[in-house]
């Protein structure tokens, strides 16, 4: 009985002090700050973020949730093998003129914390967008 109690206490102590993995331990994002630049109103813009599995187990993206209905996200649903990559795509509808300040919250399986991707830029009406110099217009899909 005494041996059982010592073994149970050792197991409990080990699990109590075991380090929990964080999102930073298992996944690296190609960027956590994506700038669309200046985009034209009514022309959806796409951000593509590469997710690299830096852990030792397959990585599963459970969720990539946008902060509002003006952005739709999609992501790799299959497990990502160690050392391999998957993607998160965020499509911003560009319906309203003004600054872009949105967030994608990324949740991975088996970790309690999350990663965030901040989406920034500016939506211009057709007249203002047309006045931009060609080098001021950003490519709307990059990773």
């Amino acid at each position: 009985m005494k041996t059982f109690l010592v073994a149970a206490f050792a197991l409990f102590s080990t699990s109590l002090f075991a380090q929990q993995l964080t999102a930073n331990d298992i996944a690296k994002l190609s960027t956590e700050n994506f700038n669309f630049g200046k985009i034209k109103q009514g022309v959806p813009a796409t951000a593509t973020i590469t997710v690299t599995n830096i852990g030792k187990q397959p990585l599963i993206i459970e969720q990539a949730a946008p902060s509002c209905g003006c952005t739709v996200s999609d992501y790799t649903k299959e497990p990502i093998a160690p050392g391999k990559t998957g993607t998160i795509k965020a499509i911003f509808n560009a319906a309203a003129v003004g600054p872009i300040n949105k967030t994608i919250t990324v949740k991975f399986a088996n970790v309690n914390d999350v990663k965030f991707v901040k989406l920034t830029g500016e939506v211009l009406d057709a007249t203002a967008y047309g006045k931009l110099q060609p080098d001021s217009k950003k490519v709307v899909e990059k990773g």
Side-chain angles (χ1 to χ4, degrees):
M1 181 69 173
K2 189 176 186 181
T3 305
F4 173 76
L5 290 175
V6 170
F9 177 74
L11 181 63
F12 175 75
S13 298
T14 303
S15 64
L16 183 65
F17 295 108
Q19 184 177 3
Q20 176 70 29
L21 288 176
T22 68
N24 286 333
D25 295 328
I26 61 171
K28 183 176 188 314
L29 303 180
S30 58
T31 185
E32 293 183 17
N33 295 289
F34 188 95
N35 187 345
F36 288 110
K38 296 180 187 308
I39 60 176
K40 186 176 179 181
Q41 183 181 19
V43 179
T46 302
T48 302
I49 294 91
T50 301
V51 180
T52 303
N53 180 351
I54 59 172
K56 296 177 181 176
Q57 302 295 323
L59 176 66
I60 297 171
I61 303 171
E62 285 186 343
Q63 187 177 42
S67 58
C68 75
C70 60
T71 306
V72 176
S73 67
D74 192 19
Y75 54 91
T76 301
K77 307 292 192 291
E78 301 80 25
I80 303 166
K84 300 298 181 186
T85 61
T87 58
I88 297 169
K89 283 192 175 192
I91 303 170
F92 176 69
N93 69 11
V97 171
I100 302 167
N101 288 301
K102 307 299 175 191
T103 303
I104 303 291
T105 303
V106 184
K107 171 75 174 88
F108 301 100
N110 302 317
V111 295
N112 292 328
D113 66 335
V114 295
K115 283 187 169 275
F116 298 99
V117 177
K118 185 175 180 182
L119 305 174
T120 58
E122 184 178 10
V123 178
L124 303 175
D125 63 30
T127 303
Y129 187 78
K131 292 178 183 177
L132 288 177
Q133 297 296 336
D135 59 337
S136 298
K137 297 175 183 176
K138 292 271 188 151
V139 175
V140 295
E141 182 165 353
K142 57 184 180 180

